[in-house]
Amino acid sequence: MHYSSFIGKKTETVSIIIPRNIVREYAETVGLSLDIYTDVEKAREAGYPDLVLPATYPVLFWRYVKIPWLDLNLPLIHGKQSFSYNEPLVANQTYDCFIQLTDVSEKEKGNFLLQFLTHRLVITKNGDEAATAASVLILKNEKK
């Protein structure tokens, strides 16, 4: 499939609320022990309205967004990833999110064609951009 025709396309926007128990579970799973991820009172004492989502948590926002140009049943390799924040993300807050395909490149490696799909996840709160995440997904196809 030629994904370059989808460059610039955006998914529909979805609203996401992450409950406290999920923030705690994620922090525990990835080995984060700071109180701002697990203790509401400690998070508030530190100046946050609720538990803080760990910096890498937005990668899980992908599971809520339907990406029409991407068949998630295909084998994918997760390449580079980066996050940028205008404000910390917190539990029990409504965030609106969409994913945009921003770039596509290809590289031949032996009998395979590697396609690098660069996506941008945009997370807004009350219409203002709260955070973004850039992710590169790699598709590996046999050359025909």
Side-chain angles (χ1 to χ4, degrees):
M1 175 180 237
H2 293 285
Y3 291 96
S4 56
S5 64
F6 294 100
I7 292 175
K9 299 284 186 202
K10 297 178 183 177
T11 65
E12 290 187 24
T13 300
V14 297
S15 295
I16 299 171
I17 300 172
I18 307 300
R20 290 178 184 147
N21 65 312
I22 300 298
V23 176
R24 288 183 185 111
E25 288 174 19
Y26 183 84
E28 182 180 303
T29 299
V30 298
L32 298 173
S33 59
L34 290 176
D35 290 337
I36 61 171
Y37 304 126
T38 59
D39 185 317
V40 176
E41 291 308 314
K42 295 289 186 184
R44 288 184 177 145
E45 286 173 15
Y48 303 104
D50 211 314
L51 296 181
V52 177
L53 276 63
T56 57
Y57 191 91
V59 74
L60 297 180
F61 283 27
W62 279 65
R63 71 170 108 177
Y64 301 102
V65 181
K66 183 179 180 336
I67 307 167
W69 59 84
L70 192 60
D71 181 356
L72 294 177
N73 294 317
L74 294 174
L76 296 170
I77 301 167
H78 192 189
K80 289 193 293 186
Q81 180 172 292
S82 63
F83 300 92
S84 176
Y85 290 89
N86 293 324
E87 64 181 72
L89 304 182
V90 296
N92 295 318
Q93 172 65 56
T94 301
Y95 294 103
D96 295 315
C97 308
F98 67 85
I99 294 173
Q100 181 177 25
L101 182 63
T102 59
D103 192 34
V104 175
S105 61
E106 296 180 347
K107 183 178 184 180
E108 291 186 21
K109 182 119 174 142
N111 290 331
F112 295 98
L113 175 65
L114 301 176
Q115 294 177 298
F116 299 83
L117 309 178
T118 303
H119 292 87
R120 182 172 182 250
L121 167 68
V122 177
I123 303 166
T124 62
K125 182 178 89 175
N126 300 324
D128 295 323
E129 191 173 285
T132 60
S135 298
V136 177
L137 300 178
I138 305 166
L139 298 167
K140 183 178 177 182
N141 299 300
E142 284 193 57
K143 287 195 271 183
K144 296 180 183 184

